[in-house]
Amino acid sequence: MSNSRLLEALTCAMALAPGVYSRNRMFDFFAKAGIARAKCRAAVLRGIVRHLGHAHAVSLSPEDAVASGESGFVLRYQIPQMRLERLAFISRLELAVLRLLATRASATCLPADDADHALVEDALARLLVKNDTSDIALAASEVISPE
């Protein structure tokens, strides 16, 4: 399992349950390469969810990312009261997380389906593959160790 897939799974966990990974309790964990990116992407997803309740002209289109070789999606929306127009490039897993968070926040513009639930569950399971423990923070810390 590649570190990029594990970091994407960690992004998923940090977005859905931001209090699980406390930087003050897990200082060594946050010093590892890639963890800052996962934390930043999770914060971006949570920020988008806060906007979706006020968003207009929400559109989602598939996008091929040439640089990374992976396909993803482009999310566009506007908040006219703030004169805000936002464009976000998100992966398939990030879209699933965003849909689950939007459903939780009662934002109807991005409804979640069973495929989103399954994708997120599979991603979260990646964090526990090497560990037989219920402590997901410890599990993630051990899984994301440098190879």
Side-chain angles (χ1 to χ4, degrees), residues 8-9 16 29 39 43 45 52 63 65-66 96-97 102 114 125 135 137:
E8 192 174 41
L16 291 169
F29 176 68
K39 183 181 176 193
L45 294 176
L52 288 178
E63 182 74 22
V66 177
V97 170
D114 291 339
D135 186 353

Side-chain angles (χ1 to χ4, degrees), residues 47-113:
I48 290 171
V49 170
R50 284 191 297 272
H51 286 165
L52 288 178
H54 307 288
H56 296 274
V58 177
S59 69
L60 186 67
S61 58
E63 182 74 22
D64 291 328
V66 177
S68 68
E70 294 184 22
S71 61
F73 296 88
V74 177
L75 174 68
R76 291 181 172 89
Y77 61 88
Q78 299 173 352
I79 302 178
Q81 300 91 331
M82 297 174 58
R83 295 184 181 155
L84 171 75
E85 186 170 336
R86 186 165 191 181
L87 172 78
F89 297 95
I90 55 178
S91 70
R92 174 64 185 105
L93 177 58
E94 289 173 336
L95 175 60
V97 170
L98 190 58
R99 285 177 170 164
L100 292 177
L101 289 171
T103 300
R104 187 190 296 172
S106 300
T108 59
C109 56
L110 288 175
D113 59 16

